[in-house]
Amino acid sequence: KAGVTQTPRYLIKTRGQQVTLSCSPISGHRSVSWYQQTPGQGLQFLFEYFSETQRNKGNFPGRFSGRQFSNSRSEMNVSTLELGDSALYLCASSYYLLAGGRDEQFFGPGTRLTVL
Amino acid sequence: DAKTTQPNSMESNEEEPVHLPCNHSTISGTDYIHWYRQLPSQGPEYVIHGLTSNVNNRMASLAIAEDRKSSTLILHRATLRDAAVYYCIEGAQKLVFGQGTRLTINP
């Protein structure tokens, strides 16, 4: 079974631009979550999508948004990029909603975003 | 924010058992305890999770205290490949990661 895939793996943008990252979950998984990882803040939850609906959201500004398609693939978008948005963006999938707590998450390799 | 407490770092020798502790004193009765690890330059990897009873899988064992305020991840025979940052997480709704424990394995 193929794992979680994320594209692109590396991205360089400049301040003010916007970016879209893509995530393909494991086949059959309906929940996709996104995380931001930085050396200073560690791993922080962005949001979770399940059946094309956002089910949970972390404490990030509205510049961070996402969506999920009917095939469970997900995209996240960051508008008006800031230097502080430079980070590793990780996507994870699971069969059940996170809220149940009973399921494991499978993480992708991440997209390394650098904002200049 | 993270509600778990773990030591910042631990060190062990190859082929010896490793016991990684975690305190989760505010855990609710229905929150599972999850453990993930992150190897260098990789995304986090699921290790194990449990609710009340001790759990075993091919990677590790999870020992949960009777009051559920703490748990211990047990790697029975550490290998160099087990060197990673280990995260203990209570609940799973947002998978709130703390700073984790950086485990070093000496050959």
Side-chain angles (χ1 to χ4, degrees):
Chain A
K1 194 189 256 190
V4 177
T5 58
Q6 293 187 245
T7 56
R9 292 293 310 279
Y10 301 91
L11 206 50
I12 299 176
K13 293 284 189 179
T14 55
R15 276 182 301 176
Q17 286 188 307
Q18 76 164 19
V19 67
T20 299
L21 312 180
S22 181
C23 171
S24 292
I26 288 173
S27 178
H29 283 191
R30 297 175 293 171
S31 167
V32 174
S33 297
W34 288 89
Y35 297 82
Q36 181 196 66
Q37 185 170 31
T38 60
Q41 298 297 317
L43 265 159
Q44 293 186 288
F45 174 83
L46 280 155
F47 28 65
E48 178 192 11
Y49 284 86
F50 186 90
S51 295
E52 303 178 64
T53 303
Q54 189 181 90
R55 299 304 181 110
N56 213 338
K57 192 175 188 305
N59 298 321
F60 279 82
R63 299 185 297 108
F64 292 82
S65 63
R67 60 177 175 168
Q68 187 179 33
F69 302 95
S70 58
N71 61 358
S72 292
R73 192 177 69 82
S74 177
E75 289 181 347
M76 70 161 279
N77 185 76
V78 188
S79 62
T80 321
L81 283 166
E82 301 177 0
L83 295 178
D85 296 333
S86 293
L88 180 68
Y89 289 88
L90 291 155
C91 162
S93 77
S94 61
Y95 185 78
Y96 294 106
L97 263 175
L98 285 184
R102 52 186 169 154
D103 206 10
E104 61 188 275
Q105 283 204 310
F106 295 84
F107 283 80
T111 294
R112 173 75 60 186
L113 172 65
T114 302
V115 182
L116 302 175
Chain B
D1 286 17
K3 305 173 192 174
T4 60
T5 306
Q6 300 176 253
N8 288 332
S9 62
M10 289 184 64
E11 200 169 323
S12 185
N13 298 318
E14 205 174 4
E15 297 189 6
E16 289 185 356
V18 180
H19 290 232
L20 295 162
C22 178
N23 289 321
H24 25 81
S25 56
T26 61
I27 194 168
S28 76
T30 57
D31 279 345
Y32 280 75
I33 299 152
H34 290 246
W35 283 82
Y36 283 78
R37 71 181 185 181
Q38 189 169 21
L39 280 65
S41 304
Q42 294 187 28
E45 173 187 38
Y46 167 82
V47 178
I48 200 166
H49 74 291
L51 186 60
T52 55
S53 306
N54 293 345
V55 185
N56 300 294
N57 66 21
R58 62 174 182 81
M59 287 181 69
S61 295
L62 176 60
I64 301 171
E66 206 168 315
D67 63 4
R68 299 203 339 115
K69 302 296 185 187
S70 65
S71 63
T72 301
L73 178 70
I74 303 164
L75 307 178
H76 295 285
R77 285 188 67 191
T79 69
L80 296 177
R81 197 196 170 277
D82 292 321
V85 178
Y86 286 78
Y87 298 98
C88 160
I89 300 148
E90 64 173 58
Q93 187 145 2
K94 295 184 180 182
L95 271 191
V96 179
F97 288 79
Q99 294 304 310
T101 297
R102 182 172 297 279
L103 177 63
T104 301
I105 304 296
N106 300 315

